[in-house]
Amino acid sequence: MAELVLTAKGLSRRFGGLFANKDVSLDLHRGVLHAVLGPNGAGKSTLINLLSGDLPPTNGQILYRDQDISGWSPDKRSRAGIGRSYQRTNIFPAFTAFENCRLAAQSRAPRALRILSKAQGYADLAEAADRALEQAGLAERRDMVASTLSHGEQRQLEIAMVLATRPSVLLLDEPLAGMGSEESQAMVALLQKLSPDHAILLVEHDMDAVFAVADVITVMVAGQVLESGPPEQIRASIAVQEAYLGGGESDNE
């Protein structure tokens, strides 16, 4: 049985009288890629924001390795091993790919702003940055300024920055957004490479990519879980087909 890393129990988030998420429960296991699908306004991005700590839940509980982290800040969750990416690429465009990853690694080091004065500390950060770039398939782009990378490579760099913090959980919000076919294939290959060593929650609109990489798919509608199960179950579900597969293409909630 795969290791249970992160659990959401009865998670709800209300804005005034509207529930963006209502009684959402799911489990994230190491080595299991768990995708979340749903039409516009389904609450997918809200769910990631709740799990990462960017939004506090109105009700419900989030457990990380059996510890209640529902009240933890985003920074504390990140330091504990919960990493996330965003719908919009979040990098330092004027820095090289290596410098971006080194900064991410530095944020996890003790006395982060002072450790660079120590030779061993610098070497450790450089090693973590290079390892993350290698994992993300960007080793050959190490010394390129981030703004000169292609859109797909910038998305890979954002994931590399997350990897530099050595997370056990990856919360990925539409990592394939805006990519062409070749770049999408590269990202799918990266997700497959990362899956064995991480618990991954993937929000994505590229249906082909989702069904190619997901081990478990949860479908959300109007902030609630409609159905959850393996890809073949979701593909065959009449309720899912009616609610989503013929629906919209973008999610900005």
Side-chain angles (χ1 to χ4, degrees):
M1 184 68 179
E3 176 192 2
L4 177 61
V5 183
L6 188 70
T7 298
K9 294 185 176 181
L11 209 55
S12 297
R13 171 67 191 193
R14 185 174 61 212
F15 295 96
L18 174 67
F19 277 97
N21 276 181
K22 187 174 183 180
D23 197 28
V24 175
S25 297
L26 56 78
D27 295 329
L28 299 182
H29 295 84
R30 184 175 183 272
V32 176
L33 196 151
H34 193 135
V36 178
L37 297 176
N40 294 347
K44 305 182 296 296
S45 292
T46 299
L47 175 60
I48 280 191
N49 287 334
L50 291 172
L51 296 177
S52 67
D54 288 286
L55 281 175
T58 304
N59 299 108
Q61 190 178 39
I62 303 168
L63 301 177
Y64 176 64
R65 302 191 185 279
D66 295 324
Q67 184 173 7
D68 189 343
I69 65 168
S70 306
W72 286 17
S73 67
D75 179 69
K76 187 173 182 179
R77 295 186 200 197
S78 178
R79 288 180 178 277
I82 300 174
R84 72 159 295 178
S85 67
Y86 292 82
Q87 286 185 12
R88 295 184 179 181
T89 307
N90 189 22
I91 60 175
F92 297 99
F95 294 170
T96 66
F98 171 76
E99 289 168 338
N100 269 270
C101 289
R102 188 180 64 194
L103 280 171
Q106 183 180 340
S107 72
R108 297 300 170 263
R111 296 193 299 269
L113 296 179
R114 295 170 55 192
I115 197 169
L116 286 179
S117 63
K118 300 179 181 180
Q120 185 56 51
Y122 183 90
D124 290 345
L125 294 178
E127 181 182 353
D130 281 326
R131 181 171 54 248
L133 289 168
E134 179 69 33
Q135 286 180 286
L138 290 176
E140 295 182 357
R141 300 289 191 268
R142 179 187 190 274
D143 297 317
M144 290 185 63
V145 175
S147 62
T148 67
L149 299 174
S150 70
H151 171 69
E153 289 171 338
Q154 289 183 12
R155 298 297 281 177
Q156 287 175 255
L157 176 58
E158 184 177 19
I159 292 178
M161 293 172 67
V162 176
L163 293 173
T165 68
R166 301 186 181 183
S168 55
V169 175
L170 296 174
L171 307 174
L172 306 179
D173 199 351
E174 299 189 36
L176 282 82
M179 289 188 183
S181 176
E182 189 171 324
E183 289 181 327
S184 294
Q185 291 175 10
M187 181 60 72
V188 166
L190 174 58
L191 294 176
Q192 291 172 324
K193 176 182 176 182
L194 296 177
S195 183
D197 297 319
H198 300 85
I200 300 179
L201 181 74
L202 171 69
V203 168
E204 185 51 62
H205 284 287
D206 187 326
M207 300 294 292
D208 291 337
V210 168
F211 281 99
V213 302
D215 301 297
V216 177
I217 298 176
T218 292
V219 179
M220 295 180 64
V221 175
Q224 296 180 280
V225 173
L226 175 66
E227 190 165 345
S228 188
E232 56 270 18
Q233 173 186 326
I234 300 303
R235 192 187 296 274
S237 170
I238 300 300
V240 170
Q241 292 174 21
E242 292 177 349
Y244 178 68
L245 295 184
E249 296 182 352
S250 64
D251 182 6
N252 295 310
E253 80 269 29

